[in-house]
Amino acid sequence: MWTVRVAGDHCVVADTWNGLFVVNIHDIKQPRIVAHAVLPPRSKSDNTPDPVGGIALGKGVIYAAGIFTGLYVVPAPGLATPVVREQDQAPELKAAQGKTGDPRFLTYQPGGQVRSATVVGDIAWAACGSAGIHAVQLGKTLEPVSVTKGKGEVMHLAVSGSRLYAAENDAGLAIYDIGPELKLTEIGRLKLKNRNVKQVACPAPGRFALYHWCSSAVEIADLQDPAHPKVVLKDSQVGLFYGDQLVPELLGGRYLVAYWHRSGPAWYDVSGEKPVYQGNTPDERRFSFTDGVCLRDDKLLLVKHGKLQLLNPGDQREVSQLPAITVPGHRLRGRPTTDGKQLALSRRSDQKVELFDITDIQHPKPIREYDLKGHPGACRFWNSQLLIPAGYQGLLLERKTKP
């Protein structure tokens, strides 16, 4: 159910293929469906009703947006009245009470929203939204080494050799040279008209970059000439990108991977002169937006329906045919990251990170979990310490635990 409109004693609900419902809510404890309608079929060859994508209320009528066939005016005398909006009131924001931070972490505050991070040696490169790109020295403290503004809101980063690639939202895909003192110099940019670049993966040797630019489309760019990047592959599948769904590394020395939350992992072969879409690892059961994939050793680690599964590079067998690994008492959910021995599951939607010991991958063990004030992206590791891009809470480095 995607849209709800309330006016007087009635609530009107849009329920896609099931049509629209009018619910009497005069007695809020006993709501009653009093009317129902579905839209006509989307075509003569398909009897499926056109889904209701949105609704608005008029005097005695309901305006229903058919996704494929247009706008409908549905008579509803005595049931529909225009919505009277409440007076807006700005919330009261309390001043921050100092900068005590979270005692469990070393905290770096860039002045923006830390959307993602990648670790190279002792440096964390952080994508900090409107605050740009920050290179942060990791150690007993977190200290900035360089800050680059960027031309758009910096959503995600990838580093390959001496180059950094930044998904800068409406400013496109930026290509930087990493110079002395980690200063960045722009050497190229791929701008997409009316498109926002949200995430990028560009592992060594750094010729091909996989990026997603909207909720359901990816492209691969050839960056051999960074001053003149070229789009060489486009793909759109069933499912949405909710964030952190591109694998940063190259699998099997040849595959870039995008995780589609409905179609599953997609394999893009970049071993030749031109990238090729190889296929997907399917599942008859629907993938969830809280599932995800990451690299573990030379395999793809899949978090699916509360379980773990391992895929060989390019494996396109039905997921339900593969052995599944469970953790008793835990339903595994979140964007995964691993250093080989630990598995972090990050859930931006409910502000939680869980950590597991996967030294024995067949028998994962819970270590600890963190409830955060910010909304975390996919985690990283540095010297076995967890590094969390935690939105407005900042960049968080787990303090060393006592043995």
Side-chain angles (χ1 to χ4, degrees):
M1 298 180 187
W2 297 101
T3 308
V4 178
R5 297 286 180 264
V6 176
D9 285 341
H10 293 98
C11 169
V12 183
V13 183
D15 192 12
T16 59
W17 288 276
N18 296 319
L20 58 88
F21 294 83
V22 180
V23 183
N24 186 296
I25 55 172
H26 177 76
D27 182 351
I28 196 65
K29 294 182 180 180
Q30 299 185 54
R32 295 180 297 109
I33 296 175
V34 294
H36 173 229
V38 295
L39 299 184
R42 53 188 289 186
S43 68
K44 293 182 179 180
S45 60
D46 184 354
N47 290 325
T48 304
D50 192 7
V52 180
I55 50 177
L57 305 186
K59 187 175 181 179
V61 296
I62 300 170
Y63 299 97
I67 292 178
F68 298 100
T69 58
L71 176 67
Y72 293 84
V73 181
V74 183
L79 299 177
T81 58
V83 176
V84 179
R85 296 189 179 278
E86 297 179 1
Q87 184 67 36
D88 289 340
Q89 183 176 356
E92 294 183 8
L93 301 179
K94 295 182 180 180
Q97 302 298 317
K99 294 187 177 181
T100 56
D102 189 322
R104 302 170 296 179
F105 304 100
L106 296 173
T107 301
Y108 174 77
Q109 285 284 3
Q113 185 180 16
V114 185
R115 301 283 308 186
S116 66
T118 187
V119 176
V120 181
D122 294 333
I123 297 296
W125 291 96
C128 301
S130 59
I133 303 167
H134 290 232
V136 181
Q137 180 73 50
L138 302 175
K140 294 182 178 179
T141 60
L142 302 182
E143 302 295 337
V145 180
S146 72
V147 176
T148 305
K149 178 63 177 174
K151 293 181 179 178
E153 186 179 11
V154 183
M155 307 294 288
H156 198 271
L157 303 172
V159 176
S160 179
S162 63
R163 290 179 183 168
L164 181 144
Y165 309 89
E168 296 191 2
N169 217 359
D170 59 350
L173 176 64
I175 307 163
Y176 296 95
D177 180 69
I178 304 173
E181 300 179 342
L182 303 185
K183 300 290 185 182
L184 299 182
T185 302
E186 183 178 325
I187 57 175
R189 183 175 293 269
L190 179 62
K191 291 203 67 174
L192 307 176
K193 187 177 180 181
N194 299 323
R195 300 174 184 176
N196 296 344
V197 180
K198 299 295 186 180
Q199 186 183 2
V200 59
C202 190
R207 176 174 177 180
F208 295 108
L210 172 67
Y211 56 89
H212 80 80
W213 59 263
C214 79
S215 62
S216 59
V218 300
E219 294 179 350
I220 294 179
D222 187 335
L223 308 180
Q224 189 170 25
D225 179 0
H228 302 92
K230 298 184 298 183
V231 178
V232 290
L233 184 145
K234 298 181 180 182
D235 190 25
S236 184
Q237 298 191 22
V238 179
L240 301 175
F241 285 107
Y242 292 95
D244 300 312
Q245 289 171 230
L246 306 182
V247 177
E249 301 88 0
L250 200 65
L251 276 87
R254 64 188 306 170
Y255 294 111
L256 293 171
V257 177
Y259 160 70
W260 300 80
H261 96 276
R262 283 288 301 275
S263 303
W267 303 90
Y268 303 96
D269 189 342
V270 293
S271 60
E273 281 298 306
K274 189 174 181 180
V276 177
Y277 163 62
Q278 197 74 32
N280 285 65
T281 300
D283 195 325
E284 60 186 11
R285 304 158 301 170
R286 185 176 300 179
F287 287 79
S288 167
F289 78 96
T290 59
D291 296 334
V293 293
C294 71
L295 179 69
R296 196 219 184 225
D297 296 332
D298 60 345
K299 297 181 183 294
L300 190 70
L301 179 65
L302 171 66
V303 178
K304 176 76 164 61
H305 283 190
K307 303 174 183 179
L308 303 179
Q309 291 169 294
L310 293 170
L311 307 175
N312 290 319
D315 194 339
Q316 296 175 39
R317 288 179 294 164
E318 178 78 27
V319 173
S320 60
Q321 300 175 6
L322 303 174
I325 301 166
T326 62
V327 179
H330 283 75
R331 180 176 175 81
L332 302 175
R333 297 184 300 130
R335 294 290 185 267
T337 314
T338 177
D339 63 356
K341 297 181 179 180
Q342 299 177 91
L343 171 68
L345 296 179
S346 172
R347 300 200 297 275
R348 193 187 300 271
S349 58
D350 60 4
Q351 301 168 279
K352 184 183 286 291
V353 173
E354 295 179 291
L355 197 61
F356 297 85
D357 181 344
I358 57 168
T359 306
D360 179 359
I361 187 63
Q362 297 300 323
H363 301 92
K365 299 176 181 178
I367 301 176
R368 52 188 166 272
E369 62 182 54
Y370 293 116
D371 290 304
L372 303 173
K373 294 180 180 178
H375 297 266
C379 301
R380 297 290 179 258
F381 289 93
W382 177 74
N383 290 349
S384 299
Q385 294 167 254
L386 189 64
L387 184 73
I388 307 174
Y392 287 112
Q393 190 176 347
L395 182 67
L396 309 179
L397 178 63
E398 190 178 41
R399 292 184 185 273
K400 284 189 175 181
T401 55
K402 295 181 180 180

